[in-house]
């Protein structure tokens, strides 16, 4: 695999980051994952704005222009012969002496890596299972969810629980018992002619793909509602699906909570989810044809 580290394209085995880098020491950094279709990056301006937003909220230096990072993404994709691939952009506070003070690190570290391939197309046909873990989402007043942080311990703990539950993804509750988001995804469910998704006020990241799905749903004639939802409301859903940059729209066919589980609808992707998948693909094709 080829990666970019501080502007240099190199073999992944040659890439090295200092043990004094504050992302390694303290998780002090941010990231963004983008998706390409035929080497063309989908919704790049939105991803770049979110990256800069995360940097501002952390008072983290991000001196690279949109064009510079965009060109780096394409270089990584082409070097790895991956026209349909996803690239993770990671920005660290950089190396500095031990200590939590951000001023100790004068120069940030930039790494751009190809995201591992997963059999998403097959899973989109069959659907996946999700679980509700015991670990709760960080409270927004403890850690701003609009910072897409390299410190993923909260969701790592949730992912560990999902492994024990033998499910594909974990969807976390907040401290008040309301649904928030998955470890790497946003949650949607369908009831009637309405597509529901947890409100940002519940403490979740505003996903780029989440917004695309909401816009595509409205364009397809669906009502979209952002709210504060409980597990009981999820139990009454006719269809459930997740969204993310790498998953696009992923149907959910089974949900596990503790020692019980239930299937969604007939236990296979439903008509509404299929319609929204087509609407999402139409959005992608329209943007890629410009």
């Amino acid at each position: 695999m080829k990666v970019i580290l501080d502007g240099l394209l190199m073999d992944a085995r040659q890439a090295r980051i200092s043990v004094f880098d504050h992302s390694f020491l303290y998780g002090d950094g941010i990231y963004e994952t983008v998706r390409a279709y035929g080497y063309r990056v989908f919704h790049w301006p939105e991803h770049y704005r979110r990256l800069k937003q995360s940097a501002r909220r952390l008072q983290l230096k991000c001196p690279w222009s949109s064009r510079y990072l965009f060109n780096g993404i394409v270089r990584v994709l082409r070097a790895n012969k991956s026209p349909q691939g996803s690239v993770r952009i990671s920005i660290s506070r950089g190396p500095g002496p031990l200590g939590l003070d951000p001023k100790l690190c004068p120069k940030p570290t930039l790494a751009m890596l190809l995201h591992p391939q997963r059999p998403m197309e097959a899973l989109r046909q069959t659907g996946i299972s999700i679980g509700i873990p015991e670990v709760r989402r960080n409270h927004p007043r403890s850690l701003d969810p609009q910072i897409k942080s390299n410190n993923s311990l909260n969701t790592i703990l949730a992912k560990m629980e999902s492994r024990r539950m033998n499910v594909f993804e974990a969807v976390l509750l907040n401290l008040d018992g309301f649904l928030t988001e998955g470890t790497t995804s946003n949650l949607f469910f369908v009831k009637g002619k309405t597509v529901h998704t947890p409100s940002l006020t519940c403490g979740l990241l505003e996903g780029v793909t989440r917004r695309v799905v909401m816009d595509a749903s409205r364009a397809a004639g669906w009502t979209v509602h952002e709210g504060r939802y409980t597990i009981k409301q999820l139990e009454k859903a006719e269809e459930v699906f997740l969204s993310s940059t790498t998953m696009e729209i992923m149907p959910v066919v089974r949900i596990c909570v503790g020692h019980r589980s239930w299937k969604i609808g007939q236990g296979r992707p439903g008509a509404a989810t299929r319609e929204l998948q087509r609407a999402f693909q139409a959005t992608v094709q329209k943007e890629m044809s410009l």
Side-chain angles (χ1 to χ4, degrees), residues 233-249:
Q233 289 168 288
L234 194 62
E235 289 178 347
K236 299 176 182 178
E238 296 163 10
E239 298 183 36
V240 179
F241 62 89
L242 305 178
S243 74
S244 78
T245 295
T246 56
M247 286 192 283
E248 298 178 347
I249 293 180

Side-chain angles (χ1 to χ4, degrees), residues 61-256:
K61 294 177 182 177
C62 183
W64 303 281
S65 69
S66 173
R67 176 53 57 182
Y68 179 88
L69 294 178
F70 179 87
N71 289 340
I73 294 166
V74 176
R75 284 179 70 197
V76 170
L77 291 168
R78 291 193 178 279
N80 289 286
K81 298 181 175 59
S82 186
Q84 311 299 115
S86 299
V87 173
R88 173 178 166 132
I89 305 165
S90 297
I91 300 175
S92 157
R93 186 78 65 181
L98 291 175
L100 297 177
D101 188 349
K103 293 181 179 179
L104 296 171
C105 306
K107 183 181 178 183
T109 300
L110 170 64
M112 306 178 79
L113 319 172
L114 190 70
H115 203 279
Q117 294 285 348
R118 293 189 290 176
M120 291 302 178
E121 183 55 41
L123 292 174
R124 280 192 288 269
Q125 298 303 315
T126 61
I128 61 168
S129 59
I130 63 173
I132 310 297
E134 292 185 9
V135 65
R136 299 295 178 98
R137 192 72 173 95
N138 287 329
H139 193 280
R141 296 186 67 178
S142 297
L143 181 61
D144 185 351
Q146 302 313 316
I147 299 172
K148 200 167 173 65
S149 167
N150 285 346
N151 189 331
S152 300
L153 187 56
N154 184 220
T155 47
I156 288 171
L157 292 172
K159 178 59 73 174
M160 290 165 62
E161 284 197 55
S162 76
R163 295 282 189 183
R164 291 195 291 270
M165 288 188 282
N166 195 31
V167 297
F168 183 84
E169 171 69 305
V171 174
L172 292 82
L173 301 173
N174 64 17
L175 296 181
D176 297 318
F178 294 109
L179 294 159
T180 64
E181 61 188 341
T183 63
T184 61
S185 62
N186 286 115
L187 173 71
F188 292 83
F189 67 91
V190 179
K191 190 168 176 56
K193 195 62 178 175
T194 301
V195 176
H196 299 266
T197 192
S199 167
L200 298 182
T201 61
C202 293
L204 55 133
L205 177 71
E206 185 172 11
V208 170
T209 305
R210 172 182 181 270
R211 176 56 57 188
V212 175
V213 171
M214 292 168 68
D215 291 343
S217 299
R218 292 189 180 98
W222 294 81
T223 298
V224 178
H225 185 264
E226 299 177 76
R228 298 164 72 83
Y229 303 112
T230 64
I231 294 175
K232 287 186 177 181
Q233 289 168 288
L234 194 62
E235 289 178 347
K236 299 176 182 178
E238 296 163 10
E239 298 183 36
V240 179
F241 62 89
L242 305 178
S243 74
S244 78
T245 295
T246 56
M247 286 192 283
E248 298 178 347
I249 293 180
M250 180 63 71
V252 174
V253 297
R254 180 169 292 277
I255 300 176
C256 301

